[in-house]
Amino acid sequence: MLSRILVANRGEIALRIIRACREMGIASVAVYSEADRNAPYLRLADEAICIGPADCNQSYLNIPRIISAAEITNVDAIHPGYGFLAENANFAEICSDCGIGFIGPPVEAMKLLGDKVEARKIAKKVKVPIVPGSEGVVPNEAEAMKLANQIGYPIIIKAVAGGGGRGMRVVHNDISLRAAFNAARTEAEAAFGEGAVYIEKLIVEPRHVEVQVMADQEGNVVHFFERDCSIQRRHQKMIEESPCPVIEDRDRQKLADCAIRVIKEAKYVNAATVEFLLDKDNKFYFIEVNTRIQVEHPVTEMVTGHDLIKWQIRIASGQPMKLRQKSIKHQGVAIECRINAEDPANNFSPSPGTITRFIAPGGNGVRVDTHVHQGWTVTPNYDSLIAKLIVHQKTRAEAIATMRRALQEFVIEPIKTTIPACLEILSHNLFVKGKVDTGFVERNL
Amino acid sequence: MLSRILVANRGEIALRIIRACREMGIASVAVYSEADRNAPYLRLADEAICIGPADCNQSYLNIPRIISAAEITNVDAIHPGYGFLAENANFAEICSDCGIGFIGPPVEAMKLLGDKVEARKIAKKVKVPIVPGSEGVVPNEAEAMKLANQIGYPIIIKAVAGGGGRGMRVVHNDISLRAAFNAARTEAEAAFGEGAVYIEKLIVEPRHVEVQVMADQEGNVVHFFERDCSIQRRHQKMIEESPCPVIEDRDRQKLADCAIRVIKEAKYVNAATVEFLLDKDNKFYFIEVNTRIQVEHPVTEMVTGHDLIKWQIRIASGQPMKLRQKSIKHQGVAIECRINAEDPANNFSPSPGTITRFIAPGGNGVRVDTHVHQGWTVTPNYDSLIAKLIVHQKTRAEAIATMRRALQEFVIEPIKTTIPACLEILSHNLFVKGKVDTGFVERNL
Amino acid sequence: MAEKDADIQKIKELIRIMKENDLVEIDIQHGDDRVALRRAQPQQTTAFGPIMTAVPGAGSPILMSQGQAAAQIPTAAKNEGLLEIKSPIVGTFYETPSPDSDPYVEPGTRVDSQTVVCIIEAMKVMNEIKAEVSGTIVERTVKNGQAVEYGQVLFKVRPD
Amino acid sequence: MAEKDADIQKIKELIRIMKENDLVEIDIQHGDDRVALRRAQPQQTTAFGPIMTAVPGAGSPILMSQGQAAAQIPTAAKNEGLLEIKSPIVGTFYETPSPDSDPYVEPGTRVDSQTVVCIIEAMKVMNEIKAEVSGTIVERTVKNGQAVEYGQVLFKVRPD
């Protein structure tokens, strides 16, 4: 087993990983920027090292500093969390060169699945349904036009290196395609340093459903069922739940099988999330693989009783999973709300500041993952996520009731948070009925 | 279903009941003394009524004021929580006379099982093993002496109306019996207004194991498995867990069957806990029934997934349980630590004061039930319980690891709490091995 | 932050109060409501009367229901120097001995400590409530038939 | 952080208020809103100088490991007026260019901004660290071969 792990992240996910290490008897090393110097979670790590100023580029994204910190503290491995360097193949490669374990996939698998065009090819190869679209990069407008007319409008233009909605354009006809194609390339170039784009058919009002998968170094692959993350605002997930409330067990099984086939074909190891779109007829289409642990992983932990971070660490230690698929049970319903320091009344603009009053919800069926507390200052330097509120109950109706009462008792003052927005969604008739899609928030909030 | 419930209690259990009401869509009315005026949980109730000054006798124990509050707020029923009026048959009777539901047992069953001598008789009748001892009240010293020699020393003298260790004496020979008998009577008289005592054989180094039972108005009785509450200090429980780590499934089944037989015989309705002593040979002996929900009920909620407060409310509403015994599964291991405002370094003396720093633990497998927050003032007026920390994991070793890390991250300053004492116990070799009895804390802490 | 300006304003106001009243210390906390004032030590000059009689917010607003709580705060200031008759029990307030009678007291009525000012019904028992203070009724602060909690203000009285 | 400037502004304002109003103490807390003011006792009579000179705790202690954190606090006072050379990177500190060489600098060595004072090894690369200040080395605060974090103080320098 690994005996000493550096956590190359901050905030709630750093705390999440430190907690797992403590429970496993593994020493942990936290790194922090000067902005996070007083974070109380740092004292829960066995060591804490300042790696730079507040600016991420000089701290949490700075590979030499993180590697140096790993070297001077003699860790066996680095856990990158999510965001920052978690999907940076260059970082994973440097770890490997320096003889430091990377708690995540092998470099090759990360590169392969990180390239959306390659990922589509793999899915196609193992007969996993993909959204109709280009075979790969669409080199120019003329090709785009030809293809669009072949698969039929509406279509969507996406950056090969993309994420978070940047370099993305929805196009409904030839005229708008002309304007959008080059705009998407330029935006992708600016955002990712790589302008290549591809084209897919636009699935109208889809749900976002993803399968949690875990693979060990011996090629054992299991899934931990799916999460429904259709409640998004500008491609940022706000609320996630498991199971997906609209699919039947047979389709659930098919979905999971498809996810496992992709992961096996990519010779992937460690935690991955295979993302699909689900159309109005409950037909699903593979879209991409996230090669890291995700923000919403606690939803899966609640319904399966498995600690995914601990599995990541065991697998990175070289342990075989010894976990049979049929021993993984899905029980009840879990929902997560992301509590961000954003003002829903003001177009979700960031709301930094010092929290002078903080009362977290608790009681039966409630889990809170947060690094903040009364007296914490939310700085504008980082992601606005300040807490994840997760509930687990026997039924979806009960889970919604518990989430509502937990949101109602959550006090965070004076900064603005997404609590009222989450409450509004949880109370919405269509959400309660499970009749939502990825456009729900934009249409209804 | 009941539509409006008054919560005749304070602190964490009041909040616990208010939470259940909120989740069930039932209106709740909180009552509070002037000392609790600023408690944030009051705002979670639909109404909050001041019923008197800090002194319990003029507020939480004052029956006319609570009944008046129930009348002016038009509630259907009162939930008494634990402590205060929860086992006061007179209060239950007055509720009934006033046409207000009492969320607890019928008056007759409460009276019957509240009398320890009668409870023993019932157990004996339904062939549940009881500790060898007097048939009932022992009227005088001479009778006591005769009986003691018959069952053999050591024996224990207990108050019929007793609880919490008052009016209790352990006696090892004729000489000490002479002194102890009248002392116990006097103490019982002073504490409970009733001097009657009975005698039992002393079980040496026993474990305290109790079965959670629930009965509906139609005579359906189910159990929710057992809790082991051997970690006690001066008869006050400190740490509880489920399952009991030393009994086999066959004995577990027997224990539960015995508990159910007692409850059925007493024509009991609603939640009850049937308490047993387990000797070194794992033979168990019935001792008493607690006719209310208990502090440690969350342990059972975690391992069974059932919300016991909601079941209490449904049953009090007259709903049949529709719950088959075999559908109630026991999964994993749960442990609860009671966090009291007491100073372990100073003989657990109360440590009131204002909490200026409060960071609750969270994350996977952790539940916190607390009414306090940063800024809360612990007054010396009431019970010192300020939080219950509950963990749930797949195995006992993992549950202990999670509890340890949760205790380590729990910050409550500047008042002293039982956190260090709980940590010491959780780290003790004998506790880790499950080799404890009710004398463990006195011997080892 | 706007809060900081508010602080400055508040401090200026407090200083004025301190000077006018020869206080040497003011200590206010909102979380769990603390107010602490300290006047000059005795050796400082001579005596004056207890200026700060009605300390605002000494008793926090009674939380009857969420809506009402806020409504009861502002009355403090204009009623400086008035005494309050509070309910010693929980129950239903009646201003008259029986439905057809005149009220026990009305604004303007002189009361002394033994004067019965109302009835509060609790558990079917009619409890006569005495004024406990002497003075003139200025205001009745609850309605006939209204539910009242422990400590709720029933009447305001101008002392003699 | 911009917030600190705002704090300074606020403190200046508060000091002015204190002076003008003969206050000897102001205590403000935001977490749970505390305000505490104290005026001079009469016998204390006249003016005193600016009380608020050294603002303690401007930089919190560096948390290297639980044990070391506390140890680094007390040095501040006795070293008043000294400059600090801090590590701009994370790595291992070496006082000499090679194992057999003399140290780059020692207490008493004069340095200017371009003087190399040590090497920090990070990812197998030896990084020469320059003084960035002028003056005389007073103290080396880390050991040869020690791991240092970003911002950790390496030397103290008495400015010219």
Side-chain angles (χ1 to χ4, degrees), chain A residues 166-238:
Chain A
R166 283 171 302 176
M168 202 183 269
R169 286 287 188 289
V170 171
V171 176
H172 290 270
N173 52 49
D174 286 356
I175 296 162
S176 58
L177 176 60
R178 239 163 240 134
F181 186 78
N182 287 316
R185 283 178 60 105
T186 308
E187 198 173 309
E189 175 76 37
F192 314 109
E194 146 96 62
V197 297
Y198 62 105
I199 284 178
E200 281 178 0
K201 184 165 178 65
L202 177 73
I203 308 295
V204 179
E205 299 182 6
R207 299 182 80 103
H208 175 111
V209 180
E210 59 188 30
V211 178
Q212 177 67 55
V213 180
M214 194 74 74
D216 71 13
Q217 296 184 11
E218 301 183 1
N220 301 308
V221 184
V222 294
H223 71 84
F224 293 83
F225 301 91
E226 82 284 1
R227 297 183 289 260
D228 188 317
C229 313
S230 301
I231 300 297
Q232 309 182 344
R233 186 182 162 276
R234 299 193 175 168
H235 303 281
Q236 298 293 322
K237 294 165 188 166
M238 296 177 70

Side-chain angles (χ1 to χ4, degrees), chain B residues 187-203:
Chain B
E187 198 173 310
E189 175 75 39
F192 313 111
E194 146 95 62
V197 297
Y198 64 104
I199 284 178
E200 278 178 0
K201 184 165 179 62
L202 177 73
I203 307 296

Side-chain angles (χ1 to χ4, degrees), chain B residues 48-52 64-65 68 375, chain C residues 32 63-64 88 90 122-123 149-150:
Chain B
I49 297 230
C50 183
I51 52 167
R65 288 182 181 190
S68 288
Chain C
D32 290 330
L63 179 77
M64 179 62 183
V90 179
M123 296 184 70
E149 61 182 351
Y150 174 84

Side-chain angles (χ1 to χ4, degrees), chain C residues 22-155:
Chain C
D22 206 22
L23 295 177
V24 297
E25 196 172 319
I26 296 186
D27 183 343
I28 299 171
Q29 270 181 292
H30 273 300
D32 290 330
D33 294 6
R34 181 178 171 188
V35 178
L37 310 181
R38 190 189 296 232
R39 280 183 57 217
Q41 306 291 318
Q43 65 265 36
Q44 298 172 291
T45 70
T46 48
F48 12 63
I51 298 166
M52 300 296 272
T53 45
V55 179
S60 323
I62 287 172
L63 179 77
M64 179 62 183
S65 71
Q66 263 93 78
Q68 294 184 6
Q72 296 186 7
I73 303 173
T75 52
K78 66 170 184 180
N79 289 317
E80 233 171 286
L82 295 189
L83 304 173
E84 294 173 337
I85 301 174
K86 293 178 179 178
S87 176
I89 53 174
V90 179
T92 306
F93 171 92
Y94 294 110
E95 60 173 346
T96 60
S98 65
D100 303 328
S101 327
D102 288 335
Y104 284 105
V105 295
E106 289 179 295
T109 307
R110 280 270 305 127
V111 297
D112 64 26
S113 64
Q114 294 303 305
T115 312
V116 172
V117 293
C118 65
I119 274 175
I120 293 183
E121 180 188 353
M123 296 184 70
K124 316 284 180 254
V125 176
M126 298 297 174
N127 302 279
E128 291 186 341
I129 307 300
K130 289 175 182 165
E132 308 284 358
V133 297
S134 296
T136 307
I137 299 286
V138 174
E139 186 188 355
R140 169 163 56 72
T141 53
V142 291
K143 278 184 287 199
N144 195 35
Q146 179 181 327
V148 295
E149 61 182 351
Y150 174 84
Q152 187 161 356
V153 176
L154 307 174
F155 296 95

Side-chain angles (χ1 to χ4, degrees), chain A residues 253-296:
Chain A
Q253 188 58 54
K254 262 197 230 166
L255 195 68
D257 287 345
C258 285
I260 286 179
R261 288 210 298 277
V262 170
I263 291 304
K264 281 192 167 163
E265 178 65 22
K267 302 207 187 325
Y268 191 91
V269 180
N270 218 296
T273 298
V274 185
E275 298 192 333
F276 297 89
L277 291 181
L278 196 70
D279 74 10
K280 290 173 165 177
D281 302 320
N282 278 5
K283 276 170 60 181
F284 59 83
Y285 306 91
F286 167 87
I287 43 175
E288 66 179 76
V289 178
N290 287 322
T291 60
R292 51 169 164 82
I293 196 73
Q294 288 193 266
V295 176
E296 60 270 26

